[in-house]
Amino acid sequence: MKQRKLPLRKCLGCGEVKDKRELVRVVKSPNGEISLDLTGKKAGRGAYICADASCLSKARKAKRIDRAFDCTVPDEVYEAMERELKNE
């Protein structure tokens, strides 16, 4: 039987390529709202980070999420994402 390929994604924080299921999806919805997508099923453009607050802070410092979505992400959104990651 043929082996299925595992979907791989690159973390915006550390830059490591990992299995898609190990990462958390950050999504920009069609109306422009940016949030964490813990289910991986929300509609919109997605980017991935490790489920670790340090990777989120690295991505924030280098403005990688801003570049991935071609917009400026407010500080309140980053703080909300950090809280969600710590509660996970």
Side-chain angles (χ1 to χ4, degrees), residues 28-45:
K28 179 181 179 185
S29 66
N31 62 6
E33 181 184 329
I34 297 172
S35 63
L36 284 183
D37 180 13
L38 301 175
T39 62
K41 297 188 188 279
K42 285 186 182 176
R45 175 145 177 86

Side-chain angles (χ1 to χ4, degrees), residues 7 9 11 20 29 33 47 55 59 62 65 68 74 84 87:
R9 299 291 184 266
C11 173
K20 182 178 171 181
S29 66
E33 181 184 329
C55 278
I65 296 176
E84 273 189 74
N87 290 339

Side-chain angles (χ1 to χ4, degrees), residues 53-83:
S54 66
C55 278
L56 180 62
S57 64
K58 287 179 193 176
R60 180 181 186 176
K61 185 176 179 184
K63 298 189 184 282
R64 291 189 185 120
I65 296 176
D66 295 11
R67 262 187 259 127
F69 296 135
D70 290 328
C71 68
T72 304
V73 181
D75 290 333
E76 302 87 46
V77 174
Y78 280 117
E79 291 163 6
M81 287 192 288
E82 279 183 40
R83 274 184 262 127

